[in-house]
Amino acid sequence: MTEKDTLSILGDGDCLYEASVSPPIFQTSTFGGGGEYSYTRLSNPTRRALEKETAKLEGGKHAFAFSSGLAAINSVFSLLKKGNRVVVSDDLYGGTYRLITKIYQNYGIEFVFADMSSAQAVKTEIEKGADMVFAESPTNPMMKIAPLREIGEMCKQTGAVFVVDNTFLSPYFQNPLALGADITIHSATKFLSGHHDTVAGIAVTNRDDIAEALGMISMTLGNALSPFESWLVLRGIRTLPLRMQKHQQNAFALAEYLKTLPQIDKVYYPGLPEHSGHELCKSQSSGFGGVVSFTVKDAGTAKRLIKGGKIIKFAESLGGFCSLITYPLTQTHASIPEEMRQKIGITDRLLRLSVGLEDFADIKADITKMLEG
């Protein structure tokens, strides 16, 4: 291979890089030749391939890959300025809550929490003034569904930037940009990657002004995703449709089974017809995802479950091939004050289960044995 051929693989045209069935990993900090790429913190071909893929999946023009889901959220919050007012889901990931209360509220930015499943509650807060609206749908861990189209229209009318964390449904089941969002975010650690082996975040937008700002933020904060992790997420995306179908199939079966057990008090899964957001979810998404939350009738049962089983592991995170059971009270939502947790429903009886790709008969047998202690 000549020097000219070697340099050509860094381009975006008809070249070895574009022709590779599996994109190569450009595990380098810097590039010579003075071409499109100069330094990996600024841009890298492997990361660029992931960004192009996720932009396409979300129906967006621009995508940015970050070192974690929280790094993506932090970068989006970096668009805010002193004096801005932000309306946020009252039921959201504890790490996002910690970022808001421990970091961004110190910068003179006001955050107010609203029930995003209620269009009226969101409207009330937007009418008081809002520069950004940040929603999860479904929420973590209570699985509430936000009326994304309605909120998107409110934001369009008022000029507020509408951000949707789409981690739980992935681009396979939901595309918030098509529903009125300005930015959609993923913890790519979860379903996009799907293999429990990398940590990553994604932000996608159709707005050129937001893309320009996020590009500057990524370059300045230095939180862009590394080449190897970019490749791992790309690898995971190749099987996303198959995995999401299986996750959902198992999750629905588990939700139905849990409803029949005497130890279970309530099941939270939008795929169930009795779920308060079922019809809304059907109207704006093509599926319900692979995460099921549920409450048991006493804290003792919860403590038995968090010991884990033969197949179902007691661990944080979600969206991978392995079924994981999580105790939000002490894990993902420990940062949230008790009063707020109680109001939302995060009690010592609540558990969240990310349903994996195992044979459902094995999942069913495992959860049954775990409940029996």
Side-chain angles (χ1 to χ4, degrees):
M1 181 181 287
T2 67
E3 181 179 358
K4 181 178 179 181
D5 290 333
T6 303
L7 291 174
S8 75
I9 67 174
L10 301 179
D12 284 331
D14 183 15
C15 59
L16 290 176
Y17 168 61
E18 293 287 337
S20 299
V21 174
S22 177
I25 304 171
F26 285 84
Q27 195 65 43
T28 180
S29 61
T30 193
F31 301 85
E36 177 184 356
Y37 299 97
S38 60
Y39 192 59
T40 283
R41 174 169 57 82
L42 310 180
S43 187
N44 180 282
T46 313
R47 186 166 69 242
R48 181 67 59 83
L50 171 61
E51 291 168 341
K52 286 183 176 181
E53 188 71 16
T54 50
K56 181 172 64 176
L57 289 173
E58 280 288 9
K61 290 173 59 179
H62 313 280
F64 299 87
F66 297 97
S67 55
S68 69
L70 267 178
I73 295 170
N74 181 46
S75 297
V76 169
F77 283 167
S78 295
L79 297 168
L80 298 166
K81 299 177 181 178
K82 183 178 180 180
N84 281 172
R85 186 172 189 268
V86 186
V87 182
V88 188
S89 295
D90 61 352
D91 173 28
L92 81 168
Y93 169 53
T96 306
Y97 179 86
R98 185 173 57 246
L99 181 65
I100 288 169
T101 57
K102 300 299 184 182
I103 305 295
Y104 278 91
Q105 284 185 342
N106 296 329
Y107 299 158
I109 300 169
E110 181 185 4
F111 289 84
V112 293
F113 298 91
D115 181 358
M116 288 284 173
S117 66
S118 167
Q120 183 56 53
V122 179
K123 182 180 179 182
T124 297
E125 292 300 339
I126 288 178
E127 288 176 345
K128 296 177 184 177
D131 299 285
M132 179 180 285
V133 176
F134 184 98
E136 294 179 3
S137 189
T139 59
N140 181 7
M142 302 308 297
M143 306 302 292
K144 294 192 291 186
I145 305 299
L148 300 182
R149 287 191 182 91
E150 288 186 67
I151 298 174
E153 187 57 35
M154 295 178 204
C155 291
K156 183 178 179 180
Q157 292 174 2
T158 60
V161 175
F162 185 27
V163 185
V164 177
D165 187 326
N166 196 31
T167 298
F168 270 35
L169 290 188
S170 87
Y172 183 74
F173 285 136
Q174 183 170 262
N175 299 118
L177 297 180
L179 300 169
D182 296 295
I183 305 171
T184 183
I185 290 177
H186 293 271
S187 173
T189 310
K190 313 304 193 296
F191 289 111
L192 285 178
S193 172
H195 287 75
H196 306 292
D197 57 9
T198 188
V199 175
I202 299 289
V204 185
T205 184
N206 273 321
R207 286 179 48 174
D208 295 341
D209 59 332
I210 289 176
E212 183 178 359
L214 285 177
M216 182 279 295
I217 289 165
S218 175
M219 173 181 68
T220 305
L221 294 181
N223 58 4
L225 192 60
S226 75
F228 182 61
E229 274 65 34
S230 297
W231 182 85
L232 286 172
V233 179
L234 269 170
R235 180 200 60 178
I237 286 174
R238 303 308 181 204
T239 59
L240 181 65
L242 296 173
R243 290 188 290 104
M244 294 309 296
Q245 291 168 23
K246 182 63 173 177
H247 283 303
Q248 177 168 268
Q249 178 185 342
N250 280 348
F252 186 79
L254 178 65
E256 289 283 9
Y257 177 60
L258 289 172
K259 286 166 48 180
T260 69
L261 301 176
Q263 303 96 325
I264 306 301
D265 184 45
K266 188 170 182 179
V267 179
Y268 304 89
Y269 181 63
L272 295 175
E274 63 267 29
H275 186 281
S276 60
H278 177 74
E279 292 301 324
L280 176 59
C281 193
K282 283 175 61 178
S283 74
Q284 63 189 24
S285 311
S286 61
F288 306 104
V291 180
V292 178
S293 292
F294 60 97
T295 51
V296 292
K297 291 187 176 178
D298 60 81
T301 301
K303 290 178 180 178
R304 286 200 302 274
L305 286 170
I306 62 176
K307 293 179 181 178
K310 183 177 181 181
I311 291 174
I312 302 170
K313 308 299 182 186
F314 173 52
E316 294 198 42
S317 199
L318 58 98
F321 59 83
C322 181
S323 291
L324 302 179
I325 194 163
T326 298
Y327 198 39
L329 181 69
T330 60
Q331 291 181 300
T332 55
H333 291 70
S335 299
I336 296 178
E338 182 179 358
E339 182 180 351
M340 189 171 183
R341 288 199 305 260
Q342 291 291 331
K343 181 181 178 182
I344 296 167
I346 302 174
T347 69
D348 59 1
R349 298 184 297 113
L350 178 75
L351 297 118
R352 190 194 72 195
L353 208 161
S354 173
V355 191
L357 304 180
E358 303 91 350
D359 186 282
F360 178 68
D362 293 331
I363 297 174
K364 179 180 177 180
D366 210 31
I367 195 83
T368 302
K369 185 174 181 180
M370 290 162 65
L371 284 165
E372 292 172 352

